[in-house]
Amino acid sequence: MSQPIIRIDNIVKRYGPLTVLDGLSMEVMPGEKLALIGPSGSGKTTILRILMTLETISEGFIQVEGEELYHVKKAGNLVPADERHLHKMREKIGMVFQHFNLFPHKCVLDNVTLAPMLTKGMARADAQKRAMELLDMVGLADKAKSMPAQLSGGQKQRVAIARALALSPKIMLFDEVTSALDPELVEEVLNVMRKLAAETDMTMLLVTHEMGFAHDFADRVLFFDRGKIVEEGKPEEIFRHPKQERTQTFLRKIIAAGHRV
Amino acid sequence: MIDWSGYIGLILQGAWVTVQLTLMGSALAVVVAFAAGLGRLSRFMAVRALATTYIEFFRGTSIFVQLFWAYFVLPFAGITLTPLQAGVLALGLNVGAYGAEVVRGAVKAIGREQREACIALNLTRFQAMRHIILPQALPLMLPTFGNNAIELLKGTAVVSLISLTDMTFQAQVVRAQTGSTLIPFATILLLYFAMAWLISMGMRWLERRVSRGLDGVRV
Ligand SMILES: Nc1ncnc2c1ncn2[C@@H]1O[C@H](COP(=O)(O)OP(=O)(O)OP(=O)(O)O)[C@@H](O)[C@H]1O
Ligand SMILES: [Mg+2]
C-alpha cells in the first residue's frame, strides 16, 4: 500500500471571527483525481489555496509526500516554515486559477517558459521545446507568439494549464477553472482536463460546479459544507445515492438550476 | 545698443547647469524613489520604518531648507559638497520622496492575482518583482514620473540661493548688467518651456515603449 501524497490533519482556518475550515481532515492517494463540490462559501477554494501556500492555517498540520507543508523541525519542535521550506514544497504543487492570472506583458510562450527557466534553471531552448509540446497538447501551438489579451477566455485558461504543467508538479489544483468562461468555451477546457486525467498520473484536486464533469473526471468526490467534508465517495455513490441530507439538498438545487448530472 | 550675444551666451551657460541639475537630480530621484518605494513594501519592519521616515521627512520640509542643509550644514558634519553636488542631492532626495509614493502605488496596483500566480509558479519574491510586478507597474508610474521630472526642473531655480549659476541666476545677472528685464526673462521662459516639453516628449516615448503589447488590457 502506498502512502498518501497529501495528508490533511484537523486543520482550522479562521478569518477573524469567521471559521472557514473547521477541523478538516482528509487524505489523497498518489494519482487520485478528486472533485470538491459544495455550496458557495463552504471552503473549497480555501483548502486549495492553503495547499498552494497562498494562505496560512490557524491550526492543524498538512503533509505532502510525508513532509510537513507549513512546519519544519527545529531542535525537535515543529515551528512555522520559512520561505525556503515553502519554496521546496511548492515544487510539488501547481495551481490553475478561476481567472487564469496570465502575465499580460508576456507572450504565451514566455508565460509558459518563465517559471521553468527561473526556478529550475532550465535553458531557454529546452524550456521552449517543452513549452511547445505543452501548448500543442492544449491545442494552442499556433498561439505561442500571441499576447494573452489577444486570446479568448478558453484559450487563456488552456495557456494557464500549460504554464502550470511546465513545472511538472506532482499535484495539480484546479479552482473552478471554467466558471469565468462563456458557456461555449467551457468544453475546450474540460477536454484538456480529460486528456490530462487520462494521460498522466498526476494527483489532481478539482473544485467545480460542473457536476457532469466531476462525475466523469473524479475517482472520488468530496462534498463540502460549512468548512467540513460532509460526505465522500465514488462519483456514482455521491451523485446517484447521496446519503446525507445536506448533499441531497445541494444536488437537488444544482439540478433545479439546470446543471446536468 | 547692447550686444546681446554675450549675454545670451551667459544664459545658455546657465541653461547647461540647469540641464545637468535636472538630469542628475532626476537620476538620483529615480534611484531613491525605487529604494524607498519598495522599502515601504518590505516585509522587514526596520526597512519599512526607514523608508517611511525618509519619505515623510522630505515631503514635510521644503526644498529650500533641504538645500541649505545640504550646502551649509553638512560641512559641519565633515561633508563638504560643491554647489552642484548639494543641488543634485537636495533636488534628488526631495523629488525622490514623492516618487517613492508613486512607485509604491503602482506596485500595489498590480493585483493580488498576479502575485499569487507567481507564488503558484514558485518564483521568489525578487523574481516576481523583477519579472512580473515591476514590468507591469512601470507604465503606471511613468506619467507621474514625467510630472515629477518637470517639477524638479522648475525646482532647480532654488539653487541660485547657494550661488550656483543656473539659468535663473544668470538671467538675474544679465538683468543687473543690462537693466533689461524682458529679454533675459523671456529667454529663460522659453528655455524652461522647451526643456519641460522635451521631458514630456521623452516620457511619452518611454511610455509607448514599456507598455508595448499591453494595450492597456489586464488579463
Ligand atoms: N480573505 C478573506 N477574508 C475573509 N473571509 C474570507 C477570505 N477569503 C475567503 N473568505 C470567506 O471564507 C469562506 C469560504 O470561502 P471559499 O472561497 O473557500 O468558499 P468556496 O467554497 O470556494 O465558495 P464558492 O463556491 O463561492 O467559490 C467564505 O465565507 C468567504 O467569504
Ligand atoms: Mg471558490
Side-chain angles (χ1 to χ4, degrees):
Chain A
M1 228 7 239
S2 57
Q3 294 295 308
I5 189 165
I6 302 174
R7 179 179 278 139
I8 293 174
D9 184 11
N10 211 11
I11 59 167
V12 175
K13 173 66 185 173
R14 294 187 203 93
Y15 290 108
L18 180 70
T19 302
V20 175
L21 295 177
D22 187 10
L24 181 79
S25 296
M26 63 188 256
E27 290 187 348
V28 186
M29 299 307 286
E32 232 188 335
K33 317 288 184 243
L34 288 196
L36 281 57
I37 63 168
S40 187
S42 56
K44 310 179 296 293
T45 296
T46 304
I47 187 64
L48 292 197
R49 290 174 54 80
I50 286 175
L51 285 169
M52 193 65 257
T53 67
L54 297 172
E55 303 281 346
T56 53
I57 48 179
S58 313
E59 287 172 31
F61 295 94
I62 299 177
Q63 290 176 355
V64 176
E65 290 195 308
E67 229 179 318
E68 289 294 332
L69 180 60
Y70 279 104
H71 299 85
V72 285
K73 267 220 175 72
K74 229 181 211 163
N77 292 322
L78 282 181
V79 297
D82 51 14
E83 199 63 21
R84 176 190 296 200
H85 178 77
L86 291 177
H87 274 294
K88 194 180 78 183
M89 298 305 285
R90 281 179 199 140
E91 278 179 19
K92 307 172 195 284
I93 307 169
M95 182 162 182
V96 181
F97 298 88
Q98 187 173 4
H99 295 107
F100 336 125
N101 303 13
L102 293 181
F103 304 133
H105 60 303
K106 299 214 170 275
C107 72
V108 165
L109 187 64
D110 291 347
N111 262 276
V112 182
T113 56
L114 181 83
M117 287 169 62
L118 289 178
T119 68
K120 302 198 154 175
M122 220 189 250
R124 180 179 297 274
D126 298 340
Q128 288 186 340
K129 185 163 164 285
R130 168 104 175 105
M132 288 312 296
E133 287 166 12
L134 289 166
L135 288 173
D136 195 45
M137 198 267 289
V138 301
L140 289 172
D142 57 325
K143 298 285 184 193
K145 288 289 163 198
S146 302
M147 297 305 282
Q150 298 167 311
L151 305 180
S152 74
Q155 291 171 331
K156 283 179 198 166
Q157 195 58 293
R158 287 185 281 151
V159 173
I161 292 173
R163 182 176 71 172
L165 289 173
L167 289 167
S168 314
K170 294 189 174 156
I171 301 164
M172 277 277 271
L173 312 170
F174 298 90
D175 187 16
E176 296 200 38
V177 293
T178 58
S179 64
L181 302 179
D182 293 336
E184 72 272 18
L185 301 177
V186 167
E187 205 54 35
E188 65 186 53
V189 173
L190 294 185
N191 280 335
V192 167
M193 312 252 313
R194 283 191 190 99
K195 205 149 109 188
L196 267 184
E199 292 175 7
T200 71
D201 54 5
M202 246 184 318
T203 308
M204 293 164 78
L205 274 69
L206 168 88
V207 171
T208 187
H209 288 288
E210 303 270 341
M211 295 303 149
F213 182 69
H215 182 279
D216 301 342
F217 170 91
D219 304 320
R220 188 151 58 102
V221 177
L222 308 179
F223 174 70
F224 276 66
D225 196 15
R226 290 175 226 165
K228 284 196 162 127
I229 297 168
V230 174
E231 185 168 0
E232 64 172 287
K234 292 206 177 325
E236 306 80 75
E237 297 166 20
I238 300 288
F239 290 121
R240 303 295 167 200
H241 313 289
K243 295 191 188 68
Q244 301 293 327
E245 202 190 311
R246 276 195 265 170
T247 319
Q248 293 163 2
T249 315
F250 172 74
L251 289 172
R252 241 194 331 270
K253 273 192 198 144
I254 286 267
I255 294 166
H259 287 265
R260 181 174 65 92
V261 174
Chain B
M1 246 338 261
I2 307 169
D3 174 17
W4 280 106
S5 65
Y7 291 117
I8 298 293
L10 213 56
I11 288 179
L12 287 179
Q13 278 170 22
W16 173 236
V17 173
T18 298
V19 167
Q20 280 177 298
L21 274 169
T22 306
L23 290 180
M24 292 194 279
S26 294
L28 178 63
V30 167
V31 172
V32 293
F34 274 93
L38 296 179
R40 273 200 84 166
L41 298 166
S42 165
R43 67 201 144 117
F44 301 110
M45 238 272 286
V47 178
R48 286 201 306 272
L50 195 70
T52 308
T53 309
Y54 156 69
I55 292 168
E56 294 306 330
F57 181 79
F58 276 87
R59 289 198 311 175
T61 57
S62 84
I63 176 70
F64 201 79
V65 179
Q66 290 158 17
L67 185 71
F68 269 62
W69 270 76
Y71 191 61
F72 296 113
V73 182
L74 280 188
F76 291 112
I79 307 166
T80 308
L81 301 175
T82 65
L84 185 67
Q85 286 170 338
V88 167
L89 185 71
L91 287 164
L93 290 181
N94 182 275
V95 175
Y98 291 90
E101 291 295 88
V102 178
V103 170
R104 184 174 77 111
V107 164
K108 286 192 76 170
I110 305 306
R112 203 181 68 169
E113 295 190 336
Q114 291 286 308
R115 279 164 226 282
E116 293 186 343
C118 292
I119 295 177
L121 292 169
N122 207 10
L123 305 190
T124 62
R125 284 159 183 273
F126 177 78
Q127 289 169 338
M129 189 55 87
R130 153 95 176 68
H131 294 278
I132 305 304
I133 309 298
L134 281 182
Q136 293 181 68
L138 205 56
L140 307 178
M141 299 175 201
L142 285 181
T144 321
F145 273 1
N147 287 340
N148 288 358
I150 291 172
E151 283 302 319
L152 193 149
L153 165 67
K154 294 192 277 186
T156 54
V158 299
V159 298
S160 52
L161 293 167
I162 55 168
S163 73
L164 195 56
T165 54
D166 78 311
M167 200 153 69
T168 301
F169 183 89
Q170 298 291 41
Q172 276 160 348
V173 169
V174 173
R175 174 170 173 252
Q177 293 187 5
T178 62
S180 163
T181 303
L182 179 67
I183 293 188
F185 281 90
T187 308
I188 68 166
L189 186 80
L190 284 175
L191 284 171
Y192 274 120
F193 181 74
M195 288 177 195
W197 183 79
L198 275 177
I199 292 175
S200 288
M201 287 297 118
M203 292 312 276
R204 240 175 263 171
W205 176 80
L206 259 184
E207 265 172 63
R208 271 198 306 276
R209 260 201 74 120
V210 298
S211 54
R212 197 178 288 162
L214 271 174
D215 298 330
V217 186
R218 299 252 156 258
V219 179

